[in-house]
């Protein structure tokens, strides 16, 4: 809800030609009751611009999540996948699809070979000691996600956020 209702600053909106983030699809809330879940999920992935992956040690256990990430990367590329770390350490919480990137190299004999190159994914980190700390981190890290989605500087969004907050305080 915070991403969908975030008002993009005018300067950034003019640059990225967006006034707001469009509807965000949440499979848990929006999937129809059907025997074939693959089609609605694939359609949602196809029309999505970004995929936000909530990372925890349990993520690696989910075959459906793995398929969603693989399909999205195939359709849109790995750079459009944004990660949010909610618990655990990155090595145990990030799926393999985000820890490695396929790289094609040419061998001495001219043959092309695809290798897995390790990458360090950027992630919004909302791990906290208690709910209050987590809520505070979510507000900050949401701006990091938005900066990636809007292809702008995090600092531009953060300064605008502080400015708007100050106006609200003064109005009160």
């Amino acid at each position: 809800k915070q991403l969908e209702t975030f008002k993009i600053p005018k300067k950034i909106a003019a640059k990225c030609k967006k006034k707001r983030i469009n509807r965000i699809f949440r499979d848990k809330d929006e999937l129809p009751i059907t025997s074939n879940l693959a089609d609605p999920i694939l359609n949602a992935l196809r029309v999505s611009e970004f995929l936000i992956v909530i990372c925890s040690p349990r993520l690696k256990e989910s075959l459906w999540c793995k398929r969603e990430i693989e399909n999205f990367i195939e359709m849109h590329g790995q750079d459009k996948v944004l990660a949010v770390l909610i618990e655990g350490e990155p090595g145990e919480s990030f799926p393999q699809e985000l820890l490695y990137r396929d790289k094609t190299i040419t061998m001495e004999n001219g043959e092309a070979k695809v290798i897995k190159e390790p990458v360090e994914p950027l992630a919004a980190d909302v791990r906290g000691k208690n709910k209050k700390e987590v809520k505070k981190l979510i507000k900050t890290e949401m701006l990091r996600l938005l900066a990636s989605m809007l292809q702008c500087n995090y600092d531009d969004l953060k300064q605008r956020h502080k400015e708007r907050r100050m106006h609200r305080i003064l109005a009160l």
Side-chain angles (χ1 to χ4, degrees), residues 22-169:
N22 293 331
R23 187 178 70 84
I24 295 177
F25 176 83
R26 290 190 60 215
D27 57 1
K28 187 176 182 179
D29 296 336
E30 300 182 38
L31 279 177
I33 297 173
T34 179
S35 59
N36 181 13
L37 285 177
D39 290 340
I41 290 174
L42 284 174
N43 288 337
L45 292 173
R46 196 170 291 114
V47 299
S48 296
E49 193 175 345
F50 291 91
L51 177 68
I52 299 174
V53 180
I54 309 299
C55 299
S56 77
R58 295 181 305 280
L59 175 65
K60 290 184 175 184
E61 299 169 8
S62 174
L63 183 62
W64 278 102
C65 289
K66 179 180 172 50
R67 285 185 189 161
E68 284 182 37
I69 295 167
E70 287 171 346
N71 285 322
F72 187 86
I73 289 173
E74 192 176 296
M75 291 176 201
H76 302 285
Q78 193 171 11
D79 59 327
K80 297 286 186 171
V81 179
L82 306 174
V84 177
L85 183 61
I86 61 167
E87 66 182 40
E89 293 303 315
E92 67 186 18
S93 299
F94 289 143
Q96 293 298 309
E97 295 77 17
L98 299 183
L99 293 173
Y100 297 95
R101 182 182 312 250
D102 288 342
K103 183 178 180 180
T104 305
I105 58 168
T106 306
M107 306 297 284
E108 291 176 9
N109 62 4
E111 189 178 310
K113 183 179 178 181
V114 177
I115 62 165
K116 296 258 185 216
E117 179 181 55
V119 293
E120 189 163 331
L122 295 175
D125 187 350
V126 296
R127 297 173 293 172
K129 296 175 187 164
N130 53 44
K131 282 187 179 183
K132 185 177 180 181
E133 191 176 315
V134 169
K135 283 183 179 182
K136 185 176 180 181
L137 286 168
I138 286 173
K139 285 182 181 181
T140 303
E141 296 301 308
M142 181 191 70
L143 294 177
R144 289 190 201 286
L145 291 174
L146 283 165
S148 294
M149 294 167 85
L150 300 172
Q151 297 175 346
C152 68
N153 273 335
Y154 165 75
D155 194 48
D156 291 344
L157 282 176
K158 187 170 174 76
Q159 296 303 321
R160 171 68 176 139
H161 181 68
K162 282 182 179 177
E163 190 178 302
R164 196 172 69 196
R165 187 169 161 237
M166 187 59 76
H167 283 293
R168 270 194 256 145
I169 291 170

